[in-house]
Amino acid sequence: MTQHPQQFASDNYAGICPEALAAMMEANAGSAVAYGDDEWTLRAANSFRSLFEADGEVFFVFNGTAANSLALASLCQSYHSVICSSSAHVETDECGAPEFFSNGSKLLVAQSEDGKLTPQAIRALAASRSDIHFPKPRVVTITQPTETGQVYSIEEVKAISAVCRELGLKLHMDGARFAHACATLGCTPAEISWQAGVDVLCFGGTKNGMAVGEAILYFDRALAADFDYRCKQAGQLASKMRFLSAPWIGLIESGAWLRNAEHGNACARRLADLVGELPGLSFKFPVQANSVFLEAPVEVLEALRERGWRFYTFIGGSARFMFAWDTDLARVEELARDIREIAAASTVPA
């Protein structure tokens, strides 16, 4: 099969990391009890409990849309609402799944230039209406890191959770790239999740080196009541569950979950270092995780595409480059060379 040059349009382009693949292959030996009643799924769940220093409930589903949507639905009734950022994935890229699985819970959107929610924005939305004609606020959801690559500090999460407790709201964290936030902050998973006041976390595996799969962690077991039924009803209960859970064992027990994220973050910083001082170019957002949002003239971006580079411009028109566990630094430097060459040519007087 033809090998194509590595691209950075999405960290979903990456393959399976060796640790996850090895664990899946090990689980493939022989037979195992179906529907999650197997030793691999128990071991994976216990690995999460050890990693997070918490005895919570752990569930495994196929993808992030299901993880976020089902988790939010479990925290809401159909007459409730969920407060989120205007750029949150649940608002812009889930095709209405949170509303669908919750039977109609409304998303209340706070405008945000950098993708972050603030306590002030949450309070304003939650207090905007209190009459019976408006869906009652019930949950706040934040993305860590945000869709713009910004990382909430521990203090920021604590401030948000404090407002949630004051207003009687639950706090959900969309952690599609949760490992990258831990790598940026140099903190433990516990410090940025339940110890900071998060009730439910969706931990992304697909963008952390797995082929497929996300984990949902309920730090308050009472909130997880009947969640297994939700998973079954939504088509998220894998019959051969060990193939969703075993790769987590490879990631967590080997420490690859963090190494993979550290590498992606380092590659983003490398590109930023190589092109950050070029005239006419800038970064739309600070580079804090594994993404770079490059602001450049349209002709520069078109020239990059003509040289074969793939990237998206769906957030504010800047070119988004994402870096995964398998990113080749030589390829990053090749991208940087092309950007420098094109930028230099575009600034030459006619």
Side-chain angles (χ1 to χ4, degrees):
M1 184 173 292
T2 303
Q3 290 290 329
H4 298 284
Q6 189 173 57
Q7 294 286 346
F8 307 121
S10 172
D11 36 8
N12 289 325
Y13 284 25
I16 311 172
C17 74
E19 296 85 355
L21 185 58
M24 184 182 289
M25 293 300 294
E26 188 178 350
N28 193 45
S31 61
V33 180
Y35 298 109
D37 294 325
D38 61 275
E39 61 182 271
W40 299 99
T41 301
L42 176 60
R43 182 175 162 190
N46 284 336
S47 294
F48 271 111
R49 294 180 183 114
S50 296
L51 181 65
F52 280 82
E53 308 166 65
D55 186 30
E57 289 278 15
V58 183
F59 299 89
F60 302 101
V61 297
F62 290 100
N63 55 48
T65 296
N68 290 321
S69 302
L70 292 174
L72 291 173
S74 74
L75 302 174
C76 289
Q77 296 291 338
S78 59
Y79 49 81
H80 285 144
S81 56
V82 177
I83 295 172
C84 66
S85 163
S86 56
S87 63
H89 211 262
V90 294
E91 162 67 8
T92 63
D93 291 280
E94 305 287 26
C95 196
E99 297 92 331
F100 175 81
F101 283 112
S102 65
N103 231 1
S105 295
K106 183 178 178 60
L107 297 180
L108 300 182
V109 177
Q111 295 302 314
S112 172
E113 291 186 3
D114 64 359
K116 282 187 176 181
L117 274 181
T118 64
Q120 295 78 12
I122 293 168
R123 190 184 300 278
L125 277 174
S128 63
R129 294 271 296 271
S130 60
D131 58 273
I132 201 168
H133 303 285
F134 192 75
K136 184 178 182 179
R138 173 65 174 167
V139 183
V140 169
T141 178
I142 58 175
T143 310
Q144 176 73 313
T146 68
E147 286 73 10
T148 62
Q150 307 304 287
V151 175
Y152 287 94
S153 69
I154 295 174
E155 292 71 25
E156 286 175 315
V157 178
K158 285 182 175 179
I160 288 172
S161 71
V163 170
C164 289
R165 297 294 176 266
E166 176 191 336
L167 300 176
L169 307 173
K170 297 301 181 184
L171 180 55
H172 164 266
M173 179 176 282
D174 174 354
R177 299 180 178 92
F178 179 80
H180 297 85
C182 291
T184 295
L185 296 173
C187 67
T188 68
E191 289 173 319
I192 198 61
S193 58
W194 66 270
Q195 289 182 359
V198 173
D199 295 298
V200 183
L201 165 68
C202 295
F203 192 129
T206 308
K207 295 175 175 65
N208 196 209
M210 286 172 51
V212 62
E214 315 288 301
I216 306 166
L217 284 72
Y218 284 84
F219 300 111
D220 179 352
R221 284 176 173 265
L223 295 176
D226 293 338
F227 190 75
D228 48 349
Y229 286 86
R230 286 187 182 276
C231 291
K232 173 61 179 178
Q233 186 182 63
Q236 293 295 317
L237 178 62
S239 55
K240 297 184 179 181
M241 183 65 79
R242 70 189 189 275
F243 296 118
L244 283 186
S245 58
W248 283 111
I249 296 172
L251 279 181
I252 295 173
E253 294 186 358
S254 70
W257 72 275
L258 186 57
R259 291 194 302 273
N260 289 349
E262 289 172 338
H263 179 71
N265 289 1
C267 290
R269 289 194 301 271
R270 180 60 176 159
L271 178 64
D273 290 343
L274 290 172
V275 304
E277 302 300 323
L278 296 177
L281 305 184
S282 62
F283 301 123
K284 189 170 183 65
F285 308 104
V287 178
Q288 296 181 350
N290 66 321
S291 59
V292 173
F293 289 82
L294 184 67
E295 293 267 72
V298 173
E299 58 269 21
V300 170
L301 299 185
E302 286 304 313
L304 277 173
R305 288 192 173 100
E306 289 171 5
R307 294 197 184 193
W309 292 102
R310 292 174 178 264
F311 51 86
Y312 295 115
T313 57
F314 58 86
I315 297 181
S318 56
R320 189 194 75 166
F321 297 98
M322 301 294 308
F323 302 95
W325 70 270
D326 65 345
T327 297
D328 183 352
L329 271 172
R331 182 67 170 160
V332 175
E333 291 171 358
E334 183 180 343
L335 170 60
R337 283 195 300 271
D338 279 356
I339 292 173
R340 288 199 301 268
E341 289 176 8
I342 293 168
S346 69
T347 59
V348 174

